[in-house]
Amino acid sequence: MSTYLTILGFNSAIPTINTSPTAQLLEMEERLFLIDCGEGTQVQLRKAKARFSKINHIFISHLHGDHCFGLPGLIASFRLLGRDTPLHVYGPKGIKKMLETIFQITETHRGFEVVYHELDKDYSEKIYEDNRVEVYTIPLDHRIYCNGYLFKEKQKDRHLNMKEIAKYSEIETCDYHNIKAGKDFVLSDGYVLKNEILTLEPAPSVSYAFCSDTRYLESVIPIIKNVTVLYHESTFLHDLKEMADYTGHTTALEAATIAQKAQVGKLILGHFSNRYGDLTVFTDQAREIFPNTFLPKALESVKI
């Protein structure tokens, strides 16, 4: 099963005619995770032909409007679409008060439960886990409390070596699950068939790190070490580093430095200031440090 990232919006501050604020849809192990939810996200989700009913977990980095103002409308639309299953919302402490106040004042009634997971730690913690995926926070340094998120596939089952298995009539279909899980097989005469004979190496697990608004922060490096793909904000070019520091943001050169030091596989930049018309200047600068750097393309699904 492949993992795909669809970047719904990647500009900073306000929407423009051609770009939307931060929002991403990650499909990993048949789960759909929504990451941030700027204004207009549900329109972008429709353009991406996303399955609204499969979005059960939403991760909000921080409570600045360009990362969360689309959330009340999206939740209201879930109700109109007949949702009846719980929705899990992860975000900074205060996100429950913000949303519930809006719902109360606007008399927005829901037919489903919103389960809030409010975050306030200054260290990385595991906040989601099932049998296939784990999600960790990445503490960041912005003007207000902010987290990035690390999504990791768990180690996958080994592949059956059917050419070898066919040699042994005692191995039945019902045994395949245990063999794929790494167990040896014991024949009726007591002979042990080692698992490495009966199986092939599993497909490699992949990981994705989302680093939202933050100043240059080397403490993220051990958390995101060797991730398959890193998205890192790069609001300014490096000649405006002083402004980046003041506003709590990163430059393209700094984002590339993080990627290089963390030895990630691929870097995607984002959250560009609207002062820049030609965004290729960001990759031009970042590739001086980390050549495998790319610009996002709205609504394009990228295999991770």
Side-chain angles (χ1 to χ4, degrees), residues 28-29 31 33 57 59 88 90 117 125-137 150-155:
M28 177 176 279
E29 291 290 330
R31 289 104 169 108
F33 300 116
H57 301 270
F59 298 84
H88 293 261
Y90 304 76
H117 304 264
E125 61 176 333
K126 183 190 296 184
I127 56 173
Y128 172 84
E129 181 179 19
D130 59 31
N131 61 330
R132 295 183 183 178
V133 178
E134 296 176 328
V135 183
Y136 297 81
T137 58
L150 170 63
F151 299 82
K152 298 175 64 175
E153 290 181 346
K154 291 187 175 181
Q155 183 174 329

Side-chain angles (χ1 to χ4, degrees), residues 28-99:
M28 177 176 279
E29 291 290 330
E30 299 185 316
R31 289 104 169 108
L32 279 183
F33 300 116
L34 181 64
I35 311 168
D36 275 353
C37 191
E39 182 180 349
T41 292
Q42 62 177 309
V43 174
Q44 294 297 95
L45 285 168
R46 290 201 174 279
K47 289 180 180 179
K49 297 181 171 55
R51 294 162 291 177
F52 278 49
S53 61
K54 291 203 68 175
I55 300 174
N56 296 318
H57 301 270
I58 299 176
F59 298 84
I60 301 297
S61 61
H62 63 295
L63 297 183
H64 279 160
D66 56 332
H67 295 261
C68 67
F69 278 177
L71 191 52
L74 178 61
I75 293 176
S77 291
F78 280 152
R79 180 187 70 85
L80 295 174
L81 292 170
R83 184 187 187 101
D84 57 8
T85 56
L87 175 69
H88 293 261
V89 175
Y90 304 76
K93 189 174 182 179
I95 194 168
K96 178 178 181 178
K97 181 179 180 180
M98 181 192 81
L99 289 174

Side-chain angles (χ1 to χ4, degrees), residues 205-209 224-230 264-267 304:
S205 298
V206 300
S207 53
Y208 173 64
I224 65 173
K225 191 78 171 178
N226 298 321
V227 296
T228 311
V229 175
L230 165 66
V264 308
K266 176 179 180 179
L267 171 64
I304 294 180

Side-chain angles (χ1 to χ4, degrees), residues 149-183:
Y149 296 103
L150 170 63
F151 299 82
K152 298 175 64 175
E153 290 181 346
K154 291 187 175 181
Q155 183 174 329
K156 298 180 179 181
D157 288 340
R158 297 179 64 83
H159 295 298
L160 296 174
N161 185 347
M162 296 307 300
K163 183 178 179 179
E164 193 67 28
I165 288 175
K167 298 177 181 179
Y168 304 96
S169 59
E170 291 184 39
I171 302 178
E172 300 180 3
T173 304
C174 60
D175 299 312
Y176 289 175
H177 176 77
N178 286 335
I179 295 173
K180 288 172 67 176
K183 294 183 179 180

